[in-house]
Every structure is written in C-alpha cells, then in structure tokens.
Short mmCIF file of all heavy atoms in Angstrom, two decimals:
data_model
loop_
_atom_site.label_atom_id
_atom_site.label_comp_id
_atom_site.label_asym_id
_atom_site.label_seq_id
_atom_site.Cartn_x
_atom_site.Cartn_y
_atom_site.Cartn_z
N PHE A 233 0.85 -1.18 0.00
CA PHE A 233 0.00 0.00 0.00
C PHE A 233 0.90 1.24 0.00
O PHE A 233 1.91 1.29 0.70
CB PHE A 233 -0.91 0.01 1.23
CG PHE A 233 -1.80 -1.19 1.34
CD1 PHE A 233 -1.34 -2.36 1.93
CD2 PHE A 233 -3.09 -1.16 0.83
CE1 PHE A 233 -2.16 -3.48 2.02
CE2 PHE A 233 -3.91 -2.28 0.91
CZ PHE A 233 -3.44 -3.45 1.51
N PHE A 234 0.50 2.26 -0.79
CA PHE A 234 1.31 3.47 -0.93
C PHE A 234 0.44 4.70 -0.74
O PHE A 234 -0.69 4.76 -1.24
CB PHE A 234 1.95 3.53 -2.32
CG PHE A 234 2.78 2.34 -2.68
CD1 PHE A 234 2.26 1.30 -3.44
CD2 PHE A 234 4.10 2.25 -2.25
CE1 PHE A 234 3.03 0.20 -3.77
CE2 PHE A 234 4.88 1.14 -2.57
CZ PHE A 234 4.34 0.11 -3.33
N PRO A 235 0.96 5.72 -0.02
CA PRO A 235 0.25 7.00 0.01
C PRO A 235 0.12 7.55 -1.41
O PRO A 235 0.98 7.30 -2.26
CB PRO A 235 1.16 7.89 0.87
CG PRO A 235 2.07 6.96 1.60
CD PRO A 235 2.24 5.76 0.72
N MET A 236 -0.91 8.32 -1.66
CA MET A 236 -1.14 8.79 -3.02
C MET A 236 -0.01 9.69 -3.52
O MET A 236 0.29 9.71 -4.72
CB MET A 236 -2.49 9.52 -3.10
CG MET A 236 -3.69 8.60 -2.87
SD MET A 236 -3.71 7.16 -3.98
CE MET A 236 -3.92 7.94 -5.56
N GLY A 237 0.64 10.44 -2.60
CA GLY A 237 1.77 11.26 -3.02
C GLY A 237 2.92 10.44 -3.55
O GLY A 237 3.56 10.80 -4.54
N VAL A 238 3.19 9.30 -2.92
CA VAL A 238 4.24 8.39 -3.38
C VAL A 238 3.78 7.70 -4.68
O VAL A 238 4.55 7.57 -5.63
CB VAL A 238 4.57 7.35 -2.30
CG1 VAL A 238 5.56 6.30 -2.83
CG2 VAL A 238 5.14 8.03 -1.06
N TRP A 239 2.54 7.28 -4.70
CA TRP A 239 2.01 6.58 -5.87
C TRP A 239 2.09 7.45 -7.12
O TRP A 239 2.38 6.96 -8.22
CB TRP A 239 0.57 6.15 -5.62
CG TRP A 239 -0.04 5.38 -6.75
CD1 TRP A 239 -1.06 5.77 -7.55
CD2 TRP A 239 0.34 4.07 -7.20
NE1 TRP A 239 -1.36 4.78 -8.47
CE2 TRP A 239 -0.50 3.72 -8.27
CE3 TRP A 239 1.31 3.15 -6.78
CZ2 TRP A 239 -0.41 2.52 -8.94
CZ3 TRP A 239 1.40 1.94 -7.46
CH2 TRP A 239 0.54 1.63 -8.52
N GLY A 240 1.88 8.76 -6.97
CA GLY A 240 1.98 9.65 -8.11
C GLY A 240 3.35 9.64 -8.76
O GLY A 240 3.49 9.92 -9.95
N VAL A 241 4.38 9.26 -7.98
CA VAL A 241 5.75 9.21 -8.49
C VAL A 241 6.09 7.83 -9.06
O VAL A 241 6.74 7.72 -10.10
CB VAL A 241 6.76 9.59 -7.38
CG1 VAL A 241 8.20 9.48 -7.88
CG2 VAL A 241 6.49 11.00 -6.86
N VAL A 242 5.63 6.76 -8.39
CA VAL A 242 6.10 5.41 -8.73
C VAL A 242 5.07 4.57 -9.48
O VAL A 242 5.33 3.40 -9.75
CB VAL A 242 6.53 4.65 -7.44
CG1 VAL A 242 7.59 5.43 -6.69
CG2 VAL A 242 5.33 4.34 -6.54
N ARG A 243 3.94 5.13 -9.84
CA ARG A 243 2.86 4.31 -10.42
C ARG A 243 3.29 3.54 -11.67
O ARG A 243 2.72 2.49 -11.98
CB ARG A 243 1.64 5.18 -10.72
CG ARG A 243 1.79 6.09 -11.91
CD ARG A 243 0.49 6.81 -12.21
NE ARG A 243 0.24 7.85 -11.23
CZ ARG A 243 -0.99 8.25 -10.88
NH1 ARG A 243 -2.04 7.70 -11.42
NH2 ARG A 243 -1.13 9.23 -10.00
N ASP A 244 4.26 4.08 -12.42
CA ASP A 244 4.69 3.41 -13.65
C ASP A 244 5.87 2.47 -13.43
O ASP A 244 6.45 1.95 -14.38
CB ASP A 244 5.08 4.46 -14.71
CG ASP A 244 3.88 5.29 -15.16
OD1 ASP A 244 2.77 4.74 -15.21
OD2 ASP A 244 4.07 6.49 -15.45
N ALA A 245 6.23 2.23 -12.18
CA ALA A 245 7.36 1.35 -11.88
C ALA A 245 7.06 -0.08 -12.29
O ALA A 245 5.90 -0.51 -12.35
CB ALA A 245 7.68 1.40 -10.39
N ASP A 246 8.12 -0.82 -12.57
CA ASP A 246 8.01 -2.25 -12.87
C ASP A 246 7.98 -2.99 -11.53
O ASP A 246 9.02 -3.24 -10.93
CB ASP A 246 9.20 -2.70 -13.72
CG ASP A 246 9.18 -4.20 -13.98
OD1 ASP A 246 8.20 -4.86 -13.61
OD2 ASP A 246 10.17 -4.71 -14.55
N PHE A 247 6.80 -3.33 -11.05
CA PHE A 247 6.66 -3.93 -9.73
C PHE A 247 7.06 -5.41 -9.70
O PHE A 247 6.97 -6.04 -8.65
CB PHE A 247 5.24 -3.73 -9.19
CG PHE A 247 4.98 -2.32 -8.75
CD1 PHE A 247 4.40 -1.41 -9.61
CD2 PHE A 247 5.35 -1.90 -7.48
CE1 PHE A 247 4.17 -0.10 -9.21
CE2 PHE A 247 5.13 -0.60 -7.07
CZ PHE A 247 4.53 0.31 -7.93
N THR A 248 7.51 -5.92 -10.83
CA THR A 248 8.10 -7.26 -10.80
C THR A 248 9.57 -7.19 -10.39
O THR A 248 10.19 -8.22 -10.12
CB THR A 248 8.01 -7.95 -12.18
OG1 THR A 248 8.82 -7.23 -13.12
CG2 THR A 248 6.56 -7.99 -12.67
N HIS A 249 10.12 -5.98 -10.33
CA HIS A 249 11.54 -5.79 -10.01
C HIS A 249 11.81 -6.23 -8.57
O HIS A 249 11.03 -5.99 -7.67
CB HIS A 249 11.92 -4.33 -10.19
CG HIS A 249 13.39 -4.07 -10.13
ND1 HIS A 249 14.20 -4.11 -11.23
CD2 HIS A 249 14.20 -3.78 -9.08
CE1 HIS A 249 15.43 -3.83 -10.89
NE2 HIS A 249 15.48 -3.63 -9.58
N HIS A 250 12.98 -6.87 -8.37
CA HIS A 250 13.38 -7.30 -7.03
C HIS A 250 14.88 -7.06 -6.86
O HIS A 250 15.67 -7.47 -7.71
CB HIS A 250 13.07 -8.79 -6.84
CG HIS A 250 13.40 -9.29 -5.46
ND1 HIS A 250 12.60 -9.04 -4.38
CD2 HIS A 250 14.45 -10.02 -4.99
CE1 HIS A 250 13.14 -9.60 -3.30
NE2 HIS A 250 14.26 -10.20 -3.66
N PRO A 251 15.30 -6.32 -5.79
CA PRO A 251 14.45 -5.72 -4.76
C PRO A 251 13.83 -4.40 -5.22
O PRO A 251 14.47 -3.59 -5.90
CB PRO A 251 15.43 -5.49 -3.59
CG PRO A 251 16.77 -5.37 -4.23
CD PRO A 251 16.74 -6.23 -5.46
N LEU A 252 12.60 -4.18 -4.82
CA LEU A 252 11.81 -3.05 -5.30
C LEU A 252 12.41 -1.71 -4.88
O LEU A 252 12.40 -0.74 -5.65
CB LEU A 252 10.38 -3.17 -4.78
CG LEU A 252 9.37 -2.14 -5.28
CD1 LEU A 252 9.21 -2.25 -6.79
CD2 LEU A 252 8.02 -2.33 -4.59
N TYR A 253 12.96 -1.64 -3.67
CA TYR A 253 13.43 -0.35 -3.17
C TYR A 253 14.63 0.17 -3.96
O TYR A 253 14.84 1.37 -4.03
CB TYR A 253 13.77 -0.43 -1.68
CG TYR A 253 12.58 -0.71 -0.79
CD1 TYR A 253 12.75 -1.22 0.49
CD2 TYR A 253 11.28 -0.46 -1.22
CE1 TYR A 253 11.66 -1.48 1.32
CE2 TYR A 253 10.19 -0.71 -0.41
CZ TYR A 253 10.39 -1.23 0.86
OH TYR A 253 9.30 -1.47 1.67
N ASN A 254 15.43 -0.71 -4.52
CA ASN A 254 16.53 -0.26 -5.37
C ASN A 254 16.00 0.47 -6.60
O ASN A 254 16.55 1.48 -7.03
CB ASN A 254 17.40 -1.43 -5.80
CG ASN A 254 18.32 -1.92 -4.70
OD1 ASN A 254 18.39 -1.33 -3.63
ND2 ASN A 254 19.01 -3.02 -4.94
N LEU A 255 14.92 -0.05 -7.16
CA LEU A 255 14.28 0.61 -8.30
C LEU A 255 13.72 1.96 -7.89
O LEU A 255 13.89 2.97 -8.60
CB LEU A 255 13.17 -0.29 -8.85
CG LEU A 255 12.40 0.26 -10.05
CD1 LEU A 255 13.28 0.27 -11.30
CD2 LEU A 255 11.13 -0.56 -10.31
N PHE A 256 13.03 2.00 -6.76
CA PHE A 256 12.47 3.27 -6.28
C PHE A 256 13.57 4.32 -6.13
O PHE A 256 13.41 5.48 -6.49
CB PHE A 256 11.78 3.05 -4.93
CG PHE A 256 10.40 2.49 -5.02
CD1 PHE A 256 9.92 1.95 -6.19
CD2 PHE A 256 9.57 2.50 -3.92
CE1 PHE A 256 8.64 1.44 -6.28
CE2 PHE A 256 8.28 2.01 -3.98
CZ PHE A 256 7.81 1.47 -5.17
N LYS A 257 14.72 3.91 -5.56
CA LYS A 257 15.81 4.85 -5.30
C LYS A 257 16.48 5.30 -6.60
O LYS A 257 16.66 6.50 -6.82
CB LYS A 257 16.85 4.18 -4.39
CG LYS A 257 18.10 5.01 -4.14
CD LYS A 257 19.09 4.26 -3.26
CE LYS A 257 19.70 3.06 -3.97
NZ LYS A 257 20.76 2.40 -3.17
N ASN A 258 16.84 4.35 -7.45
CA ASN A 258 17.67 4.66 -8.62
C ASN A 258 16.90 5.32 -9.75
O ASN A 258 17.47 6.09 -10.52
CB ASN A 258 18.35 3.38 -9.12
CG ASN A 258 19.32 2.80 -8.12
OD1 ASN A 258 19.93 3.52 -7.34
ND2 ASN A 258 19.45 1.47 -8.12
N VAL A 259 15.61 5.01 -9.86
CA VAL A 259 14.83 5.52 -11.00
C VAL A 259 13.88 6.64 -10.58
O VAL A 259 13.70 7.62 -11.31
CB VAL A 259 14.04 4.38 -11.67
CG1 VAL A 259 13.18 4.91 -12.82
CG2 VAL A 259 14.99 3.30 -12.18
N TYR A 260 13.30 6.54 -9.39
CA TYR A 260 12.24 7.47 -9.00
C TYR A 260 12.63 8.40 -7.85
O TYR A 260 11.83 9.25 -7.45
CB TYR A 260 10.98 6.69 -8.62
CG TYR A 260 10.44 5.89 -9.79
CD1 TYR A 260 10.73 4.54 -9.92
CD2 TYR A 260 9.66 6.50 -10.77
CE1 TYR A 260 10.26 3.80 -11.00
CE2 TYR A 260 9.19 5.78 -11.86
CZ TYR A 260 9.49 4.43 -11.97
OH TYR A 260 9.02 3.72 -13.04
N GLY A 261 13.84 8.26 -7.32
CA GLY A 261 14.28 9.16 -6.26
C GLY A 261 13.52 9.01 -4.96
O GLY A 261 13.47 9.93 -4.15
N GLN A 262 12.92 7.85 -4.74
CA GLN A 262 12.19 7.56 -3.50
C GLN A 262 13.05 6.65 -2.63
O GLN A 262 13.26 5.48 -2.97
CB GLN A 262 10.84 6.91 -3.80
CG GLN A 262 9.90 7.78 -4.60
CD GLN A 262 9.45 9.02 -3.83
OE1 GLN A 262 8.91 8.92 -2.73
NE2 GLN A 262 9.66 10.18 -4.42
N PHE A 263 13.54 7.17 -1.52
CA PHE A 263 14.49 6.45 -0.68
C PHE A 263 13.77 5.85 0.52
O PHE A 263 13.09 6.56 1.27
CB PHE A 263 15.60 7.38 -0.20
CG PHE A 263 16.58 7.78 -1.26
CD1 PHE A 263 16.25 8.77 -2.18
CD2 PHE A 263 17.82 7.18 -1.35
CE1 PHE A 263 17.15 9.14 -3.17
CE2 PHE A 263 18.73 7.54 -2.33
CZ PHE A 263 18.39 8.53 -3.25
N VAL A 264 13.94 4.55 0.72
CA VAL A 264 13.52 3.90 1.95
C VAL A 264 14.75 3.81 2.84
O VAL A 264 15.71 3.12 2.52
CB VAL A 264 12.93 2.50 1.69
CG1 VAL A 264 12.63 1.79 3.01
CG2 VAL A 264 11.67 2.61 0.85
N VAL A 265 14.73 4.54 3.97
CA VAL A 265 15.91 4.59 4.83
C VAL A 265 15.74 3.79 6.12
O VAL A 265 16.67 3.66 6.91
CB VAL A 265 16.28 6.05 5.17
CG1 VAL A 265 16.64 6.82 3.92
CG2 VAL A 265 15.15 6.75 5.92
N GLY A 266 14.55 3.24 6.33
CA GLY A 266 14.33 2.42 7.53
C GLY A 266 12.96 1.78 7.48
O GLY A 266 12.08 2.21 6.72
N ALA A 267 12.79 0.74 8.25
CA ALA A 267 11.51 0.04 8.28
C ALA A 267 11.37 -0.73 9.59
O ALA A 267 12.37 -1.11 10.20
CB ALA A 267 11.37 -0.91 7.09
N GLU A 268 10.15 -0.94 10.00
CA GLU A 268 9.82 -1.84 11.10
C GLU A 268 9.06 -3.02 10.53
O GLU A 268 8.17 -2.83 9.67
CB GLU A 268 8.97 -1.14 12.15
CG GLU A 268 9.71 -0.23 13.09
CD GLU A 268 8.84 0.20 14.25
OE1 GLU A 268 7.95 1.05 14.02
OE2 GLU A 268 9.03 -0.30 15.37
N GLU A 269 9.38 -4.20 10.98
CA GLU A 269 8.67 -5.39 10.54
C GLU A 269 8.16 -6.18 11.75
O GLU A 269 8.82 -6.24 12.78
CB GLU A 269 9.57 -6.28 9.68
CG GLU A 269 9.86 -5.70 8.31
CD GLU A 269 10.51 -6.69 7.37
OE1 GLU A 269 11.33 -7.52 7.82
OE2 GLU A 269 10.20 -6.66 6.17
N PHE A 270 7.00 -6.76 11.57
CA PHE A 270 6.36 -7.56 12.61
C PHE A 270 5.97 -8.91 12.01
O PHE A 270 5.41 -8.97 10.92
CB PHE A 270 5.11 -6.85 13.14
CG PHE A 270 5.39 -5.46 13.64
CD1 PHE A 270 5.32 -4.36 12.77
CD2 PHE A 270 5.73 -5.24 14.97
CE1 PHE A 270 5.59 -3.08 13.23
CE2 PHE A 270 6.00 -3.96 15.43
CZ PHE A 270 5.93 -2.88 14.56
#
C-alpha cells in the first residue's frame, strides 16, 4: 500500500523488479531509509 503522493511518483514502476526499493531509489528518487517489521 502506498500513500497517493508516493504513488503519483512510482505508479509506472516495474513492480516485478526485485528488490523493489533499489528501483524506487535509482529511478524514482524515492528512498527507503528504515523500516519496522512484525
């Protein structure tokens, strides 16, 4: 799930790409710098 502000930037991304965050960073300038997992 993505906030609409983020989605407006990454909507055309190739979501088959793995790992996804590398694509977000290198192509769309969206950096994931931390996360919590449960």
Side-chain angles (χ1 to χ4, degrees):
F233 301 85
F234 304 97
M236 293 306 295
V238 174
W239 182 247
V241 177
V242 304
R243 73 175 74 209
D244 294 327
D246 176 6
F247 286 94
T248 66
H249 190 90
H250 182 77
L252 185 62
Y253 295 160
N254 284 355
L255 180 70
F256 279 14
K257 175 182 68 174
N258 296 329
V259 178
Y260 298 97
Q262 298 294 304
F263 288 78
V264 174
V265 298
E268 282 191 286
E269 289 192 324
F270 304 89

